[in-house]
Amino acid sequence: MWYEERFQKDKKTSNPKFMSCCSEGRIKLPLLPPTPQELDYLLSFESGKKCVNFRKEIRTYNSIFTFTSLECRVDSKINCAKGPYIYRVGGQNYHTIDSLLLEIGKKPQFAQLYIYDTENETNNRIEAMRRQFGVDGLDLQITQDLSTMLEEHNVLKCTKSLEKNNATLSEDIATLQCKKYRAYAMQLTNDQIEAHTLFEIEAIILKMGKSLKYIDEMPLPNNELLRAFRNILVNEELDYCTLDLKVAHDIFLLHTGIFPETVGDPIESVIEMIYHYLLENCNSPSYITERAILTPENDMVQELNTFIIDMLPGEGKTYLNSDTVCKGSVQTNDEIPLYPIEFLNSLQFNGIQNHEIHLKVGAPVILLHNINQTEGLFNGTRLIVTLLGTWSVRVIVFG
């Protein structure tokens, strides 16, 4: 903060207080770590011509170590007249980054600089700036010194830090499996930890349409080892009597398939298995929080929700979303025929409730938007309906 931004401007003091940044000193931050010696030297006049060059091209030196490049549509005509420089952008800023795979005949740039021709990395960085932006004033030695400094002070690249991170990851995976199956005394072997780790990574990248099998020399999850691990949990190590219904059901599904063998409707059988004695316990928050059914498709979610809501006692109420085109557009009259009510009511989007929702008192619901984070009302907050009004719904937070 500047001195003139102090809280009591009418008093001249050597110990001013500031309100907007630290709540009059109640928020205390630790001192910044010391600047690396190499950077101190480049910023001091002791380095002579290096200092002059570094200060002049400091933004360029910063840019050559970035993974992406800021792009935007700059209005260059606005500075034709006299006056201070104005930076005006049309549209939205965005970042550009090339593929990690270098095309034949091209020079490396962006993140490719960390992978291709690393023996000439410094020269490649300078050449990339000269080729793209016409910058010729960069010093080779300064660039090399900055690269060495970043390597030495990057904790993610230190061998000890990597070993620590690997150990932490192994502990996290082992703890996750123990919590998942409520077997807190269970000990996992290194092979089991590796199999579970690869399984978790594969699950993440599959959501992006990729797979570990497309990466050369990358090991795949050992499915036989995982299957044997789960069989041991079911048959030997875990006693079903010590598990709650949800955990026992999760292990049962892992062991026998997506759905167990059932008589009649499989969805009804799964609901009966998970929400056993629903009518007797529907008013218990703990009963609701301990149970959940995961499905691969949104259509099944809607079917399950409707089925379970119908099981709850009492009369329900149906609420509808808006089903008209916004009239704020000047071309509204021309667009209305393109969006019939039936079409608008049939639209379904991730993160947005469907056009129609049917609720009952006692039904569990989840917030889809942040309303008041300080009060715990944010995306994902679990609630129980206590009153159905004409224009609003009263709920209580339970998780």
Side-chain angles (χ1 to χ4, degrees), residues 179-211:
K179 289 183 178 180
K180 182 176 181 180
Y181 299 107
R182 307 291 176 87
Y184 299 103
M186 178 175 60
Q187 299 292 328
L188 275 70
T189 65
N190 292 335
D191 291 339
Q192 290 173 336
I193 291 175
E194 179 182 353
H196 283 291
T197 303
L198 292 172
F199 179 83
E200 298 292 339
I201 296 174
E202 177 76 350
I204 294 173
I205 64 176
L206 280 175
K207 297 179 181 179
M208 300 180 287
K210 305 295 182 180
S211 175

Side-chain angles (χ1 to χ4, degrees), residues 22-36:
C22 58
S23 297
E24 297 187 63
R26 289 192 293 271
I27 299 176
K28 298 186 181 296
L29 300 177
L31 295 176
L32 293 175
T35 306

Side-chain angles (χ1 to χ4, degrees), residues 164-178 193:
K164 182 179 178 180
N165 291 339
N166 289 335
T168 304
L169 177 60
S170 300
E171 293 177 2
D172 291 343
I173 292 295
T175 303
L176 176 64
Q177 302 306 316
C178 292
I193 291 175

Side-chain angles (χ1 to χ4, degrees), residues 11-272:
K11 296 182 178 180
K12 299 292 184 180
T13 175
S14 59
N15 187 27
K17 293 183 178 180
F18 303 95
M19 188 66 183
S20 60
C21 64
C22 58
S23 297
E24 297 187 63
R26 289 192 293 271
I27 299 176
K28 298 186 181 296
L29 300 177
L31 295 176
L32 293 175
T35 306
Q37 183 177 358
E38 299 87 347
L39 188 58
D40 262 342
Y41 176 72
L42 289 175
L43 290 172
S44 67
F45 292 104
E46 296 177 2
S47 57
K49 293 182 178 180
K50 286 187 176 182
C51 172
V52 176
N53 179 271
F54 182 65
R55 288 174 177 267
K56 179 182 178 181
E57 303 290 349
I58 190 169
R59 292 175 64 92
T60 307
Y61 283 115
N62 179 72
S63 297
I64 64 177
F65 290 100
T66 60
F67 287 90
T68 64
S69 177
L70 176 66
E71 297 288 346
C72 56
R73 188 189 308 164
V74 180
D75 183 4
S76 57
K77 298 180 181 179
I78 194 172
N79 290 300
C80 295
K82 295 182 178 180
Y85 177 81
I86 299 176
Y87 179 75
R88 185 165 71 178
V89 175
Q92 185 177 6
N93 290 338
Y94 58 94
H95 288 274
T96 59
I97 180 171
D98 281 358
S99 169
L100 292 180
L101 300 177
L102 180 64
E103 296 184 19
I104 298 177
K106 288 190 175 182
K107 297 290 186 178
Q109 58 183 354
F110 300 127
Q112 296 171 353
L113 292 165
Y114 292 90
I115 303 173
Y116 293 96
D117 193 17
T118 54
E119 294 182 357
N120 300 305
E121 181 178 327
T122 302
N123 288 324
N124 290 337
R125 291 185 183 279
I126 296 177
E127 174 62 21
M129 297 302 296
R130 187 197 63 77
R131 184 175 62 253
Q132 295 181 27
F133 306 104
V135 178
D136 292 322
L138 298 181
D139 184 274
L140 179 64
Q141 187 59 48
I142 292 179
T143 307
Q144 181 60 53
D145 292 343
L146 290 173
S147 179
T148 303
M149 179 193 71
L150 293 174
E151 290 285 344
E152 293 177 353
H153 294 275
N154 185 355
V155 296
L156 297 179
K157 292 190 176 182
C158 295
T159 304
K160 293 183 178 180
S161 298
L162 283 175
E163 294 176 353
K164 182 179 178 180
N165 291 339
N166 289 335
T168 304
L169 177 60
S170 300
E171 293 177 2
D172 291 343
I173 292 295
T175 303
L176 176 64
Q177 302 306 316
C178 292
K179 289 183 178 180
K180 182 176 181 180
Y181 299 107
R182 307 291 176 87
Y184 299 103
M186 178 175 60
Q187 299 292 328
L188 275 70
T189 65
N190 292 335
D191 291 339
Q192 290 173 336
I193 291 175
E194 179 182 353
H196 283 291
T197 303
L198 292 172
F199 179 83
E200 298 292 339
I201 296 174
E202 177 76 350
I204 294 173
I205 64 176
L206 280 175
K207 297 179 181 179
M208 300 180 287
K210 305 295 182 180
S211 175
L212 292 175
K213 63 183 179 181
Y214 298 126
I215 304 177
D216 294 339
E217 300 183 0
M218 175 62 71
L220 299 177
N222 190 331
N223 292 327
E224 294 184 2
L225 184 62
L226 292 174
R227 192 178 299 111
F229 172 79
R230 291 160 183 163
N231 289 340
I232 293 175
L233 290 178
V234 174
N235 297 325
E236 298 179 6
E237 294 188 7
L238 295 185
D239 183 355
Y240 272 79
C241 297
T242 64
L243 301 175
D244 60 31
L245 186 58
K246 178 181 181 300
V247 176
H249 177 259
D250 286 344
I251 298 175
F252 184 66
L253 293 186
L254 289 171
H255 186 55
T256 61
I258 300 300
F259 285 108
E261 295 182 3
T262 57
V263 178
D265 183 49
I267 293 181
E268 183 177 354
S269 300
V270 171
I271 293 175
E272 174 63 24

